[in-house]
């Protein structure tokens, strides 16, 4: 059994001031245009104390291999000693690929502005190519430092809070039951899941005081799944997301209750997770049912769709792409750590269940 955390984590309100302690000289900031328009890019430059500064601001949702190649070219021309990824999972995924493929090494620092992906502490990145999301897993892409600053969380849109919150819950639940889970990853996953399940409605409702705690839980869930692995929820979410560009956390919210039902081999661990979250049951069967029901209630409370059709996917288009979606999910590396052996019949049945009717 092994557990390691390469990333140095800074957490707290205003913690970005500690950037100046990292001796940054040549800084390349990776972000989307929003952070340039709002002035955050210049704030990062000032706080870092960098003498030389460049921005790669071409980030958009579902970063493509071509986007990462453009960023790598910018990095090769500028030759930074430090790359900072500012934003959500898309910025961090692209920056990870850039650092990995660049000609000269640079350290990677992550500043997440959403509380979901956990990418600031993971060995994972997702790049899209030809309509398929490809997970990229290598310990070399794990950031050296992560800054969890609540100053960046004050004006999060409600839909983003909901989507990202279910991303954390899915990371924690899948990491908890993954075949390579350990007592270390279990502790992180349990705490993250229980806290977010309890406090996400308040954050969604505008409560600021719990946002840093949820932000830290996203990182904890990231630490759990990068060491324990994920499962079929993410395999299918990657496949569906590459085709239809529905937000990843929204897909997770639709898929998670159904996958829990089909992962019979993990019933005891799901029951333990339910009890840790205060969802008791006289038997494991009742505890798991309470877990599923709690997730469905939360999904409804946050105004999230409960089927793929409700999320805006045309039933006809889904039918036409069904075989491609199933094949991509089965090939996804997340299936290798799912607690139950993933079969084509299982994937087909789950996809049918979550489709809904138009």
């Amino acid at each position: 059994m092994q557990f390691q955390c390469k990333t140095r984590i800074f957490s707290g309100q205003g913690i970005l001031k500690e950037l100046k302690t990292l001796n940054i000289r040549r800084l390349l900031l990776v972000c989307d245009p929003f952070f340039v328009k709002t002035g955050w890019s210049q704030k990062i430059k000032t706080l870092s104390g960098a003498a030389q500064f460049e921005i790669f601001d071409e980030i958009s949702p579902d970063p493509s291999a071509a986007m990462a190649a453009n960023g790598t070219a910018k990095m090769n021309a500028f030759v930074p000693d430090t790359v900072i990824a500012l934003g959500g999972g898309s910025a961090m995924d692209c920056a990870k690929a850039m650092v990995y493929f660049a000609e000269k090494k640079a350290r990677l620092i992550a500043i997440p502005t959403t509380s979901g992906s956990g990418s600031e502490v993971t060995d994972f990145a997702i790049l899209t190519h030809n309509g398929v999301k490809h997970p990229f897993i290598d310990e070399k892409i794990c950031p050296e430092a992560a800054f969890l600053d609540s100053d960046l969380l004050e004006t999060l849109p409600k839909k983003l809070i909901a989507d990202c919150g279910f991303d954390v819950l899915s990371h924690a639940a899948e990491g908890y039951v993954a075949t390579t889970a350990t007592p270390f990853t279990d502790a992180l996953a349990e705490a993250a899941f229980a806290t977010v399940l309890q406090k996400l409605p308040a954050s969604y409702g505008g409560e600021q005081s719990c946002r840093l705690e949820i932000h830290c839980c996203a990182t904890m869930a990231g630490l759990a799944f990068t060491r324990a692995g994920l499962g079929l929820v993410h395999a299918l979410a990657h496949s569906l997301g590459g085709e239809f560009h529905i937000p990843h956390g929204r897909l997770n919210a639709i898929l998670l209750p159904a996958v829990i039902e089909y992962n019979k081999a993990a019933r005891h661990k799901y029951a333990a997770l339910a009890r840790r979250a205060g969802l008791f049951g006289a038997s494991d069967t009742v505890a798991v049912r309470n877990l599923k029901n709690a997730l469905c209630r939360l999904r409804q409370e946050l105004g999230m769709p409960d089927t793929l059709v409700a999320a805006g996917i045309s039933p006809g288009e889904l039918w036409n792409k069904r075989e491609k979606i199933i094949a991509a999910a089965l090939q996804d590396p997340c299936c290798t750590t799912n607690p139950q052996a993933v079969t084509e019949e299982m994937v087909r049945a789950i996809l049918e269940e979550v489709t809904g009717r138009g």
Side-chain angles (χ1 to χ4, degrees), residues 64-358:
S64 66
M67 184 191 301
N70 290 341
T72 303
K74 174 106 177 183
M75 191 172 166
N76 288 338
F78 179 55
V79 194
D81 61 75
T82 304
V83 173
I84 288 181
L86 174 69
S90 295
M92 288 183 274
D93 285 352
C94 188
K96 286 177 173 182
M98 290 164 54
V99 169
Y100 185 85
F101 291 109
E103 294 169 0
K104 295 285 183 69
K105 281 189 174 183
R107 63 181 166 179
L108 176 60
I109 296 170
I111 304 175
T113 60
T114 60
S115 307
S117 75
S119 190
E120 63 274 6
V121 290
T122 74
D123 300 344
F124 282 60
I126 305 289
L127 294 180
T128 302
H129 182 63
N130 291 336
V132 178
K133 286 191 173 186
H134 296 277
F136 174 35
I137 306 171
D138 194 300
E139 63 181 15
K140 294 177 185 175
I141 65 175
C142 190
E144 291 190 18
F147 285 78
L148 313 180
D149 195 325
S150 57
D151 285 346
L152 290 159
L153 310 175
E154 293 177 356
T155 57
L156 294 174
K158 294 181 77 168
K159 281 189 176 181
L160 186 62
I161 291 171
D163 291 340
C164 290
F166 257 95
D167 202 11
V168 179
L169 292 170
S170 300
H171 287 157
E174 290 217 287
Y176 190 67
V177 301
T179 56
T180 50
T182 69
F184 301 102
T185 60
D186 280 357
L188 290 162
E190 283 179 338
F193 186 91
T195 300
V196 174
L197 188 69
Q198 176 189 0
K199 301 199 173 182
L200 187 58
S203 178
Y204 180 81
E207 177 59 56
Q208 297 283 336
S209 63
C210 59
R211 294 223 171 134
L212 181 60
E213 192 172 2
I214 292 174
H215 208 41
C216 291
C217 284
T219 300
M220 292 162 62
L223 286 169
F225 86 75
T226 200
R227 297 294 164 232
L230 290 166
L232 184 51
V233 171
H234 277 77
L236 260 171
H238 294 156
S239 178
L240 288 161
E243 288 292 336
F244 299 109
H245 306 290
I246 303 295
H248 178 68
R250 202 167 304 170
L251 289 171
N252 286 348
I254 294 169
L255 291 162
L256 181 57
V259 172
I260 287 173
E261 179 62 33
Y262 279 85
N263 273 339
K264 305 292 187 186
R267 183 164 298 277
H268 178 68
K269 287 210 74 174
Y270 282 133
L273 185 63
R275 293 178 179 117
R276 174 63 175 81
L279 306 169
F280 300 104
S283 67
D284 284 358
T285 298
V286 174
V288 175
R289 185 180 65 209
N290 290 343
L291 176 64
K292 284 181 56 189
N293 289 343
L295 291 168
C296 291
R297 285 195 304 271
L298 178 61
R299 187 172 63 190
Q300 184 176 27
E301 186 175 354
L302 302 183
M304 302 181 79
D306 58 356
T307 67
L308 298 175
V309 170
I313 299 176
S314 158
E317 190 177 6
L318 184 59
W319 177 265
N320 291 336
K321 294 183 176 181
R322 182 180 59 168
E323 299 308 318
K324 182 181 178 183
I325 289 165
I326 293 169
L330 288 168
Q331 293 167 10
D332 193 291
C334 291
C335 284
T336 62
T337 47
N338 193 71
Q340 181 123 350
V342 178
T343 65
E344 180 179 337
E345 291 74 22
M346 182 179 178
V347 177
R348 194 177 297 278
I350 291 171
L351 189 59
E352 174 70 19
E353 179 176 329
V354 302
T355 293
R357 293 292 178 263

